[in-house]
PDB file of all heavy atoms in Angstrom:
ATOM      1  N   LEU A 187    -103.715  61.388  62.365  1.00  0.00           N
ATOM      2  CA  LEU A 187    -102.532  61.284  63.234  1.00  0.00           C
ATOM      3  C   LEU A 187    -101.974  59.866  63.255  1.00  0.00           C
ATOM      4  O   LEU A 187    -100.771  59.658  63.300  1.00  0.00           O
ATOM      5  CB  LEU A 187    -102.891  61.741  64.651  1.00  0.00           C
ATOM      6  CG  LEU A 187    -103.157  63.249  64.777  1.00  0.00           C
ATOM      7  CD1 LEU A 187    -103.634  63.600  66.186  1.00  0.00           C
ATOM      8  CD2 LEU A 187    -101.918  64.048  64.448  1.00  0.00           C
ATOM      9  N   PHE A 188    -102.858  58.877  63.210  1.00  0.00           N
ATOM     10  CA  PHE A 188    -102.374  57.485  63.113  1.00  0.00           C
ATOM     11  C   PHE A 188    -101.665  57.258  61.780  1.00  0.00           C
ATOM     12  O   PHE A 188    -100.691  56.488  61.700  1.00  0.00           O
ATOM     13  CB  PHE A 188    -103.533  56.496  63.276  1.00  0.00           C
ATOM     14  CG  PHE A 188    -103.917  56.211  64.685  1.00  0.00           C
ATOM     15  CD1 PHE A 188    -105.188  56.488  65.150  1.00  0.00           C
ATOM     16  CD2 PHE A 188    -102.991  55.701  65.588  1.00  0.00           C
ATOM     17  CE1 PHE A 188    -105.538  56.247  66.472  1.00  0.00           C
ATOM     18  CE2 PHE A 188    -103.324  55.468  66.896  1.00  0.00           C
ATOM     19  CZ  PHE A 188    -104.606  55.731  67.351  1.00  0.00           C
ATOM     20  N   LEU A 189    -102.113  57.937  60.734  1.00  0.00           N
ATOM     21  CA  LEU A 189    -101.448  57.831  59.435  1.00  0.00           C
ATOM     22  C   LEU A 189    -100.041  58.453  59.507  1.00  0.00           C
ATOM     23  O   LEU A 189     -99.092  57.921  58.904  1.00  0.00           O
ATOM     24  CB  LEU A 189    -102.278  58.487  58.340  1.00  0.00           C
ATOM     25  CG  LEU A 189    -101.876  58.237  56.905  1.00  0.00           C
ATOM     26  CD1 LEU A 189    -101.834  56.758  56.584  1.00  0.00           C
ATOM     27  CD2 LEU A 189    -102.822  58.934  55.962  1.00  0.00           C
ATOM     28  N   VAL A 190     -99.897  59.555  60.253  1.00  0.00           N
ATOM     29  CA  VAL A 190     -98.554  60.127  60.456  1.00  0.00           C
ATOM     30  C   VAL A 190     -97.663  59.122  61.172  1.00  0.00           C
ATOM     31  O   VAL A 190     -96.480  58.933  60.799  1.00  0.00           O
ATOM     32  CB  VAL A 190     -98.669  61.419  61.263  1.00  0.00           C
ATOM     33  CG1 VAL A 190     -97.321  61.921  61.720  1.00  0.00           C
ATOM     34  CG2 VAL A 190     -99.349  62.517  60.443  1.00  0.00           C
ATOM     35  N   LEU A 191     -98.188  58.446  62.198  1.00  0.00           N
ATOM     36  CA  LEU A 191     -97.403  57.424  62.897  1.00  0.00           C
ATOM     37  C   LEU A 191     -97.033  56.293  61.957  1.00  0.00           C
ATOM     38  O   LEU A 191     -95.894  55.780  62.007  1.00  0.00           O
ATOM     39  CB  LEU A 191     -98.206  56.899  64.091  1.00  0.00           C
ATOM     40  CG  LEU A 191     -97.565  55.764  64.904  1.00  0.00           C
ATOM     41  CD1 LEU A 191     -96.258  56.231  65.531  1.00  0.00           C
ATOM     42  CD2 LEU A 191     -98.531  55.243  65.940  1.00  0.00           C
ATOM     43  N   ALA A 192     -97.939  55.890  61.086  1.00  0.00           N
ATOM     44  CA  ALA A 192     -97.646  54.833  60.132  1.00  0.00           C
ATOM     45  C   ALA A 192     -96.530  55.252  59.171  1.00  0.00           C
ATOM     46  O   ALA A 192     -95.639  54.455  58.860  1.00  0.00           O
ATOM     47  CB  ALA A 192     -98.906  54.441  59.343  1.00  0.00           C
ATOM     48  N   PHE A 193     -96.544  56.508  58.729  1.00  0.00           N
ATOM     49  CA  PHE A 193     -95.489  56.979  57.831  1.00  0.00           C
ATOM     50  C   PHE A 193     -94.141  57.006  58.555  1.00  0.00           C
ATOM     51  O   PHE A 193     -93.112  56.652  57.983  1.00  0.00           O
ATOM     52  CB  PHE A 193     -95.831  58.391  57.312  1.00  0.00           C
ATOM     53  CG  PHE A 193     -96.880  58.380  56.252  1.00  0.00           C
ATOM     54  CD1 PHE A 193     -97.738  59.453  56.114  1.00  0.00           C
ATOM     55  CD2 PHE A 193     -96.992  57.332  55.338  1.00  0.00           C
ATOM     56  CE1 PHE A 193     -98.712  59.469  55.117  1.00  0.00           C
ATOM     57  CE2 PHE A 193     -97.943  57.343  54.350  1.00  0.00           C
ATOM     58  CZ  PHE A 193     -98.811  58.410  54.237  1.00  0.00           C
ATOM     59  N   PHE A 194     -94.123  57.431  59.814  1.00  0.00           N
ATOM     60  CA  PHE A 194     -92.867  57.473  60.552  1.00  0.00           C
ATOM     61  C   PHE A 194     -92.289  56.068  60.744  1.00  0.00           C
ATOM     62  O   PHE A 194     -91.091  55.841  60.583  1.00  0.00           O
ATOM     63  CB  PHE A 194     -93.034  58.138  61.920  1.00  0.00           C
ATOM     64  CG  PHE A 194     -92.813  59.618  61.889  1.00  0.00           C
ATOM     65  CD1 PHE A 194     -93.841  60.481  62.198  1.00  0.00           C
ATOM     66  CD2 PHE A 194     -91.575  60.149  61.574  1.00  0.00           C
ATOM     67  CE1 PHE A 194     -93.627  61.863  62.172  1.00  0.00           C
ATOM     68  CE2 PHE A 194     -91.376  61.507  61.537  1.00  0.00           C
ATOM     69  CZ  PHE A 194     -92.393  62.362  61.855  1.00  0.00           C
ATOM     70  N   THR A 195     -93.145  55.115  61.085  1.00  0.00           N
ATOM     71  CA  THR A 195     -92.636  53.750  61.260  1.00  0.00           C
ATOM     72  C   THR A 195     -92.211  53.130  59.944  1.00  0.00           C
ATOM     73  O   THR A 195     -91.240  52.357  59.902  1.00  0.00           O
ATOM     74  CB  THR A 195     -93.692  52.874  61.960  1.00  0.00           C
ATOM     75  OG1 THR A 195     -94.936  52.988  61.270  1.00  0.00           O
ATOM     76  CG2 THR A 195     -93.903  53.298  63.390  1.00  0.00           C
ATOM     77  N   ALA A 196     -92.908  53.463  58.863  1.00  0.00           N
ATOM     78  CA  ALA A 196     -92.470  52.965  57.533  1.00  0.00           C
ATOM     79  C   ALA A 196     -91.098  53.566  57.190  1.00  0.00           C
ATOM     80  O   ALA A 196     -90.244  52.893  56.612  1.00  0.00           O
ATOM     81  CB  ALA A 196     -93.492  53.327  56.491  1.00  0.00           C
ATOM     82  N   ALA A 197     -90.883  54.845  57.542  1.00  0.00           N
ATOM     83  CA  ALA A 197     -89.610  55.462  57.297  1.00  0.00           C
ATOM     84  C   ALA A 197     -88.510  54.767  58.146  1.00  0.00           C
ATOM     85  O   ALA A 197     -87.367  54.596  57.683  1.00  0.00           O
ATOM     86  CB  ALA A 197     -89.637  56.953  57.635  1.00  0.00           C
ATOM     87  N   ALA A 198     -88.848  54.374  59.352  1.00  0.00           N
ATOM     88  CA  ALA A 198     -87.865  53.650  60.183  1.00  0.00           C
ATOM     89  C   ALA A 198     -87.534  52.300  59.534  1.00  0.00           C
ATOM     90  O   ALA A 198     -86.370  51.863  59.588  1.00  0.00           O
ATOM     91  CB  ALA A 198     -88.428  53.454  61.589  1.00  0.00           C
ATOM     92  N   LEU A 199     -88.507  51.655  58.964  1.00  0.00           N
ATOM     93  CA  LEU A 199     -88.223  50.391  58.253  1.00  0.00           C
ATOM     94  C   LEU A 199     -87.321  50.625  57.045  1.00  0.00           C
ATOM     95  O   LEU A 199     -86.453  49.786  56.749  1.00  0.00           O
ATOM     96  CB  LEU A 199     -89.541  49.697  57.856  1.00  0.00           C
ATOM     97  CG  LEU A 199     -90.366  49.153  59.024  1.00  0.00           C
ATOM     98  CD1 LEU A 199     -91.689  48.587  58.491  1.00  0.00           C
ATOM     99  CD2 LEU A 199     -89.580  48.096  59.778  1.00  0.00           C
ATOM    100  N   TRP A 200     -87.552  51.700  56.322  1.00  0.00           N
ATOM    101  CA  TRP A 200     -86.663  52.038  55.212  1.00  0.00           C
ATOM    102  C   TRP A 200     -85.238  52.258  55.703  1.00  0.00           C
ATOM    103  O   TRP A 200     -84.260  51.872  55.048  1.00  0.00           O
ATOM    104  CB  TRP A 200     -87.141  53.285  54.470  1.00  0.00           C
ATOM    105  CG  TRP A 200     -88.271  53.033  53.507  1.00  0.00           C
ATOM    106  CD1 TRP A 200     -89.548  53.513  53.608  1.00  0.00           C
ATOM    107  CD2 TRP A 200     -88.212  52.302  52.309  1.00  0.00           C
ATOM    108  NE1 TRP A 200     -90.287  53.087  52.531  1.00  0.00           N
ATOM    109  CE2 TRP A 200     -89.485  52.347  51.720  1.00  0.00           C
ATOM    110  CE3 TRP A 200     -87.204  51.596  51.643  1.00  0.00           C
ATOM    111  CZ2 TRP A 200     -89.779  51.718  50.533  1.00  0.00           C
ATOM    112  CZ3 TRP A 200     -87.510  50.972  50.464  1.00  0.00           C
ATOM    113  CH2 TRP A 200     -88.789  51.039  49.902  1.00  0.00           C
ATOM    114  N   MET A 201     -85.113  52.902  56.861  1.00  0.00           N
ATOM    115  CA  MET A 201     -83.768  53.113  57.427  1.00  0.00           C
ATOM    116  C   MET A 201     -83.087  51.774  57.775  1.00  0.00           C
ATOM    117  O   MET A 201     -81.889  51.610  57.560  1.00  0.00           O
ATOM    118  CB  MET A 201     -83.842  53.983  58.668  1.00  0.00           C
ATOM    119  CG  MET A 201     -84.232  55.410  58.425  1.00  0.00           C
ATOM    120  SD  MET A 201     -82.969  56.363  57.601  1.00  0.00           S
ATOM    121  CE  MET A 201     -81.833  56.633  58.935  1.00  0.00           C
ATOM    122  N   LEU A 202     -83.871  50.814  58.282  1.00  0.00           N
ATOM    123  CA  LEU A 202     -83.298  49.520  58.582  1.00  0.00           C
ATOM    124  C   LEU A 202     -82.865  48.792  57.313  1.00  0.00           C
ATOM    125  O   LEU A 202     -81.925  47.991  57.352  1.00  0.00           O
ATOM    126  CB  LEU A 202     -84.325  48.649  59.335  1.00  0.00           C
ATOM    127  CG  LEU A 202     -84.526  48.997  60.811  1.00  0.00           C
ATOM    128  CD1 LEU A 202     -85.658  48.164  61.385  1.00  0.00           C
ATOM    129  CD2 LEU A 202     -83.262  48.776  61.582  1.00  0.00           C
ATOM    130  N   LEU A 203     -83.535  49.070  56.207  1.00  0.00           N
ATOM    131  CA  LEU A 203     -83.149  48.439  54.937  1.00  0.00           C
ATOM    132  C   LEU A 203     -82.043  49.234  54.226  1.00  0.00           C
ATOM    133  O   LEU A 203     -81.759  48.957  53.055  1.00  0.00           O
ATOM    134  CB  LEU A 203     -84.387  48.366  54.034  1.00  0.00           C
ATOM    135  CG  LEU A 203     -85.471  47.400  54.480  1.00  0.00           C
ATOM    136  CD1 LEU A 203     -86.725  47.548  53.630  1.00  0.00           C
ATOM    137  CD2 LEU A 203     -84.971  45.988  54.438  1.00  0.00           C
ATOM    138  N   ARG A 204     -81.458  50.183  54.922  1.00  0.00           N
ATOM    139  CA  ARG A 204     -80.366  51.023  54.400  1.00  0.00           C
ATOM    140  C   ARG A 204     -80.787  51.843  53.170  1.00  0.00           C
ATOM    141  O   ARG A 204     -80.008  52.039  52.250  1.00  0.00           O
ATOM    142  CB  ARG A 204     -79.140  50.157  54.078  1.00  0.00           C
ATOM    143  CG  ARG A 204     -78.521  49.534  55.277  1.00  0.00           C
ATOM    144  CD  ARG A 204     -77.372  48.610  54.912  1.00  0.00           C
ATOM    145  NE  ARG A 204     -76.820  47.972  56.085  1.00  0.00           N
ATOM    146  CZ  ARG A 204     -77.267  46.819  56.578  1.00  0.00           C
ATOM    147  NH1 ARG A 204     -78.297  46.221  56.025  1.00  0.00           N
ATOM    148  NH2 ARG A 204     -76.711  46.303  57.660  1.00  0.00           N
ATOM    149  N   ALA A 205     -82.033  52.274  53.171  1.00  0.00           N
ATOM    150  CA  ALA A 205     -82.540  53.153  52.103  1.00  0.00           C
ATOM    151  C   ALA A 205     -82.846  54.503  52.733  1.00  0.00           C
ATOM    152  O   ALA A 205     -83.999  54.893  52.923  1.00  0.00           O
ATOM    153  CB  ALA A 205     -83.779  52.546  51.469  1.00  0.00           C
ATOM    154  N   GLU A 206     -81.784  55.213  53.086  1.00  0.00           N
ATOM    155  CA  GLU A 206     -81.957  56.464  53.841  1.00  0.00           C
ATOM    156  C   GLU A 206     -82.644  57.549  53.019  1.00  0.00           C
ATOM    157  O   GLU A 206     -83.457  58.311  53.561  1.00  0.00           O
ATOM    158  CB  GLU A 206     -80.583  56.988  54.282  1.00  0.00           C
ATOM    159  CG  GLU A 206     -79.837  56.073  55.247  1.00  0.00           C
ATOM    160  CD  GLU A 206     -78.997  55.030  54.549  1.00  0.00           C
ATOM    161  OE1 GLU A 206     -78.892  55.092  53.302  1.00  0.00           O
ATOM    162  OE2 GLU A 206     -78.490  54.138  55.216  1.00  0.00           O
ATOM    163  N   PHE A 207     -82.358  57.615  51.717  1.00  0.00           N
ATOM    164  CA  PHE A 207     -82.982  58.640  50.895  1.00  0.00           C
ATOM    165  C   PHE A 207     -84.499  58.449  50.841  1.00  0.00           C
ATOM    166  O   PHE A 207     -85.247  59.433  50.963  1.00  0.00           O
ATOM    167  CB  PHE A 207     -82.392  58.573  49.484  1.00  0.00           C
ATOM    168  CG  PHE A 207     -83.041  59.537  48.534  1.00  0.00           C
ATOM    169  CD1 PHE A 207     -82.752  60.885  48.598  1.00  0.00           C
ATOM    170  CD2 PHE A 207     -83.952  59.098  47.584  1.00  0.00           C
ATOM    171  CE1 PHE A 207     -83.354  61.777  47.734  1.00  0.00           C
ATOM    172  CE2 PHE A 207     -84.566  59.987  46.720  1.00  0.00           C
ATOM    173  CZ  PHE A 207     -84.255  61.322  46.790  1.00  0.00           C
ATOM    174  N   LEU A 208     -84.953  57.221  50.654  1.00  0.00           N
ATOM    175  CA  LEU A 208     -86.393  56.970  50.607  1.00  0.00           C
ATOM    176  C   LEU A 208     -87.057  57.263  51.955  1.00  0.00           C
ATOM    177  O   LEU A 208     -88.188  57.767  52.005  1.00  0.00           O
ATOM    178  CB  LEU A 208     -86.656  55.524  50.187  1.00  0.00           C
ATOM    179  CG  LEU A 208     -86.238  55.153  48.762  1.00  0.00           C
ATOM    180  CD1 LEU A 208     -86.471  53.694  48.503  1.00  0.00           C
ATOM    181  CD2 LEU A 208     -86.969  56.011  47.749  1.00  0.00           C
ATOM    182  N   ALA A 209     -86.365  56.955  53.054  1.00  0.00           N
ATOM    183  CA  ALA A 209     -86.916  57.233  54.372  1.00  0.00           C
ATOM    184  C   ALA A 209     -87.086  58.737  54.587  1.00  0.00           C
ATOM    185  O   ALA A 209     -88.121  59.203  55.057  1.00  0.00           O
ATOM    186  CB  ALA A 209     -86.027  56.637  55.453  1.00  0.00           C
ATOM    187  N   ILE A 210     -86.050  59.495  54.239  1.00  0.00           N
ATOM    188  CA  ILE A 210     -86.137  60.943  54.415  1.00  0.00           C
ATOM    189  C   ILE A 210     -87.189  61.541  53.466  1.00  0.00           C
ATOM    190  O   ILE A 210     -87.926  62.453  53.843  1.00  0.00           O
ATOM    191  CB  ILE A 210     -84.745  61.557  54.205  1.00  0.00           C
ATOM    192  CG1 ILE A 210     -83.792  61.140  55.328  1.00  0.00           C
ATOM    193  CG2 ILE A 210     -84.815  63.085  54.129  1.00  0.00           C
ATOM    194  CD1 ILE A 210     -82.369  61.509  55.126  1.00  0.00           C
ATOM    195  N   ALA A 211     -87.250  61.021  52.250  1.00  0.00           N
ATOM    196  CA  ALA A 211     -88.285  61.519  51.314  1.00  0.00           C
ATOM    197  C   ALA A 211     -89.676  61.232  51.821  1.00  0.00           C
ATOM    198  O   ALA A 211     -90.593  62.066  51.698  1.00  0.00           O
ATOM    199  CB  ALA A 211     -88.074  60.900  49.929  1.00  0.00           C
ATOM    200  N   LEU A 212     -89.868  60.065  52.424  1.00  0.00           N
ATOM    201  CA  LEU A 212     -91.182  59.704  52.974  1.00  0.00           C
ATOM    202  C   LEU A 212     -91.561  60.658  54.098  1.00  0.00           C
ATOM    203  O   LEU A 212     -92.702  61.134  54.151  1.00  0.00           O
ATOM    204  CB  LEU A 212     -91.160  58.263  53.485  1.00  0.00           C
ATOM    205  CG  LEU A 212     -92.464  57.706  54.049  1.00  0.00           C
ATOM    206  CD1 LEU A 212     -93.504  57.571  52.961  1.00  0.00           C
ATOM    207  CD2 LEU A 212     -92.222  56.368  54.723  1.00  0.00           C
ATOM    208  N   VAL A 213     -90.614  60.977  54.986  1.00  0.00           N
ATOM    209  CA  VAL A 213     -90.915  61.873  56.084  1.00  0.00           C
ATOM    210  C   VAL A 213     -91.166  63.303  55.582  1.00  0.00           C
ATOM    211  O   VAL A 213     -92.142  63.955  55.978  1.00  0.00           O
ATOM    212  CB  VAL A 213     -89.779  61.839  57.120  1.00  0.00           C
ATOM    213  CG1 VAL A 213     -89.950  62.952  58.155  1.00  0.00           C
ATOM    214  CG2 VAL A 213     -89.732  60.496  57.810  1.00  0.00           C
ATOM    215  N   LEU A 214     -90.303  63.784  54.675  1.00  0.00           N
ATOM    216  CA  LEU A 214     -90.453  65.138  54.216  1.00  0.00           C
ATOM    217  C   LEU A 214     -91.687  65.364  53.374  1.00  0.00           C
ATOM    218  O   LEU A 214     -92.432  66.333  53.558  1.00  0.00           O
ATOM    219  CB  LEU A 214     -89.208  65.554  53.412  1.00  0.00           C
ATOM    220  CG  LEU A 214     -87.934  65.765  54.231  1.00  0.00           C
ATOM    221  CD1 LEU A 214     -86.791  66.143  53.303  1.00  0.00           C
ATOM    222  CD2 LEU A 214     -88.122  66.806  55.293  1.00  0.00           C
ATOM    223  N   VAL A 215     -91.938  64.458  52.438  1.00  0.00           N
ATOM    224  CA  VAL A 215     -93.034  64.675  51.485  1.00  0.00           C
ATOM    225  C   VAL A 215     -94.381  64.335  52.149  1.00  0.00           C
ATOM    226  O   VAL A 215     -95.292  65.152  52.149  1.00  0.00           O
ATOM    227  CB  VAL A 215     -92.828  63.819  50.228  1.00  0.00           C
ATOM    228  CG1 VAL A 215     -94.048  63.896  49.318  1.00  0.00           C
ATOM    229  CG2 VAL A 215     -91.588  64.298  49.492  1.00  0.00           C
ATOM    230  N   TYR A 216     -94.492  63.146  52.722  1.00  0.00           N
ATOM    231  CA  TYR A 216     -95.789  62.735  53.224  1.00  0.00           C
ATOM    232  C   TYR A 216     -96.122  63.327  54.595  1.00  0.00           C
ATOM    233  O   TYR A 216     -97.205  63.861  54.801  1.00  0.00           O
ATOM    234  CB  TYR A 216     -95.892  61.201  53.252  1.00  0.00           C
ATOM    235  CG  TYR A 216     -96.075  60.630  51.880  1.00  0.00           C
ATOM    236  CD1 TYR A 216     -95.007  60.114  51.184  1.00  0.00           C
ATOM    237  CD2 TYR A 216     -97.312  60.635  51.266  1.00  0.00           C
ATOM    238  CE1 TYR A 216     -95.161  59.589  49.911  1.00  0.00           C
ATOM    239  CE2 TYR A 216     -97.502  60.135  50.007  1.00  0.00           C
ATOM    240  CZ  TYR A 216     -96.406  59.621  49.329  1.00  0.00           C
ATOM    241  OH  TYR A 216     -96.579  59.104  48.075  1.00  0.00           O
ATOM    242  N   VAL A 217     -95.180  63.198  55.520  1.00  0.00           N
ATOM    243  CA  VAL A 217     -95.454  63.719  56.874  1.00  0.00           C
ATOM    244  C   VAL A 217     -95.398  65.232  56.883  1.00  0.00           C
ATOM    245  O   VAL A 217     -96.237  65.921  57.466  1.00  0.00           O
ATOM    246  CB  VAL A 217     -94.486  63.107  57.893  1.00  0.00           C
ATOM    247  CG1 VAL A 217     -94.725  63.710  59.274  1.00  0.00           C
ATOM    248  CG2 VAL A 217     -94.653  61.604  57.945  1.00  0.00           C
ATOM    249  N   GLY A 218     -94.404  65.784  56.201  1.00  0.00           N
ATOM    250  CA  GLY A 218     -94.192  67.227  56.245  1.00  0.00           C
ATOM    251  C   GLY A 218     -95.174  68.027  55.412  1.00  0.00           C
ATOM    252  O   GLY A 218     -95.498  69.138  55.757  1.00  0.00           O
TER     253      GLY A 218
END
């Protein structure tokens, strides 16, 4: 569960870097 939290926060950092595709792919593939 902590790893899920780490993936979500990493996806949020990708969103801040304006890499929306990588953030959504991280959430869908790894978390989902």
